[in-house]
Amino acid sequence: MKFALTSAVFALMAGTAMAETITLYTSQPNADAQQTVDAFMAANPGTEVEWVRDGTTQLMARLRAEIEAGNPQPDVLLIADTVTLEGMAQEGLLAAYQSPEADAYDAALYSPEGYYYSTKLITTGIVYNTGVETVPTSWSDLADPAMKGMIAMPSPLYSGAALIHLATLTGDESLGWDYYATLAENEARAQGGNGGTFQAVASGEKPYGMVVDFLTIRNKAEGSPVEFVFPEEGVSYVTEPVAIMSSAKNMEGAQKFVDFLLSAEGQELVLDMGYIPARDGIGVPEGFPAREDIKLMAFDPAEALENSEANKGKFAELFGAE
């Protein structure tokens, strides 16, 4: 009996020692992060995940300090936008990994070299209060002089999604910087983030706004007097990409994590959370149009990175800094 007990203890110790660990830095909401980690560990019982959650800006500050000290902690990053990761890739901080799951994705949604992969689509479109008389169908509708003083939008000086939205629309031939100049002339309010913009429209303070899709669609389902429009020109988008650090201590475990997020199972999880999956053929949450009916505007993360500071400066000139 004593031998059997000792053998069981040694077997348990051996199993614990064999369990590998990866460290994840993520900007997902806490509930989403926990759900993601739990699902991955259930699918990969030999791998444990230690995770740190914070906003992308705060996580990057922490990571930069760790890199400066010569001891970066994360194996994997799952953060808000591709522009941040494009910058890290150009610095040599990310590992190139060709995931076998990439074949199920539009090539525009991942780095050709495999430095990062999109995991979901969070689009920015038009929100309007249901009390309005005029329903917009395009971005150009918001430039109508009749809408002067009626528009709210998040500031790219504050919101990463808004900065990508700015880069996308100003890079569009039919809109460009002239469009933002017209919005400024129309006295569009450009302050804070998506949450404040949504509240301004839901309350009726501003009848129209630019905002991320899920805020409007989820709140509409709960009775908020709002509607969301996917403009005919298309929508900008952020994608919560995943990437592996070139300094990863557990490269194999990190690759498993990437493959899981990109797999059909991982993308069904994204759908369950109420977001549009990045993978083709998974479907969309209730309240969203069919995936094929959502037109994504052209976006180049490398170009957006290069123009980031100039775009912020030009925007501040037009609208005034916060």
Side-chain angles (χ1 to χ4, degrees):
M1 182 69 178
K2 182 178 179 181
F3 175 79
L5 179 61
T6 304
S7 297
V9 171
F10 274 117
L12 179 61
M13 291 174 62
T16 302
M18 289 173 63
E20 57 180 29
T21 301
I22 62 172
T23 300
L24 166 69
Y25 277 16
T26 182
S27 61
Q28 285 186 303
N30 278 310
D32 290 355
Q34 188 66 65
Q35 193 175 350
T36 299
V37 167
D38 288 347
F40 168 76
M41 291 194 299
N44 296 270
T47 307
E48 300 290 325
V49 180
E50 296 178 354
W51 56 283
V52 174
R53 190 273 156 198
D54 209 335
T56 294
T57 301
Q58 290 79 7
L59 282 176
M60 289 301 101
R62 174 175 177 156
L63 180 54
R64 290 290 176 183
E66 292 173 356
I67 293 170
E68 189 80 16
N71 189 28
Q73 294 300 303
D75 296 291
V76 189
L77 302 175
L78 179 59
I79 60 172
D81 65 272
T82 53
V83 175
T84 298
L85 293 182
E86 176 64 30
M88 295 184 70
Q90 291 182 18
E91 290 182 68
L93 296 173
L94 301 181
Y97 172 56
Q98 295 294 337
S99 173
E101 301 289 345
D103 289 346
Y105 287 74
D106 186 314
L109 296 178
Y110 60 89
S111 157
E113 301 82 6
Y115 287 121
Y116 50 83
Y117 295 89
S118 301
T119 65
K120 62 184 56 141
L121 298 177
I122 300 175
T123 73
T124 291
I126 299 172
V127 58
Y128 67 89
N129 190 287
T130 52
V132 303
E133 292 183 6
T134 303
V135 174
T137 60
S138 69
W139 291 118
S140 60
D141 287 345
L142 299 186
D144 189 327
M147 292 193 179
K148 187 170 185 176
M150 297 183 181
I151 302 159
M153 60 185 183
S155 169
L157 307 179
Y158 179 89
S159 163
L163 182 58
I164 286 174
H165 184 65
L166 172 71
T168 302
L169 266 60
T170 56
D172 183 86
E173 289 184 1
S174 68
L175 297 170
W177 276 104
D178 287 346
Y179 177 68
Y180 272 83
T182 302
L183 290 177
E185 290 172 7
N186 246 6
E187 298 178 2
R189 189 186 77 183
Q191 296 175 356
N194 281 276
T197 297
F198 172 78
Q199 289 301 328
V201 176
S203 68
E205 177 191 349
K206 296 287 184 180
Y208 306 95
M210 299 179 180
V211 79
V212 290
D213 53 29
F214 68 89
L215 273 179
T216 303
I217 292 171
R218 288 180 187 176
N219 281 283
K220 175 191 172 184
E222 295 175 3
S224 188
V226 291
E227 291 286 352
F228 188 79
V229 174
F230 290 83
E232 58 193 30
E233 299 97 336
V235 288
S236 69
Y237 58 97
V238 292
T239 64
E240 199 170 87
V242 62
I244 301 172
M245 293 288 293
S246 57
S247 56
K249 299 175 179 67
N250 185 349
M251 190 65 70
E252 184 178 348
Q255 291 173 356
K256 288 180 183 177
F257 188 79
V258 170
D259 289 344
F260 173 76
L261 291 186
L262 302 183
S263 71
E265 181 182 356
Q267 290 292 288
E268 287 287 354
L269 189 66
V270 169
L271 183 61
D272 289 344
M273 292 176 184
Y275 302 101
I276 304 171
R279 185 182 176 109
D280 293 338
I282 300 296
V284 295
E286 186 175 350
F288 285 76
R291 173 73 186 278
E292 58 268 22
D293 294 335
I294 300 173
K295 180 181 177 182
L296 302 179
M297 300 178 77
F299 176 68
D300 183 339
E303 185 177 331
L305 176 67
E306 181 181 353
N307 296 332
S308 175
E309 293 307 313
N311 284 347
K312 288 179 184 178
K314 197 163 184 177
F315 181 89
E317 286 179 17
L318 287 172
F319 290 87
E322 290 184 334

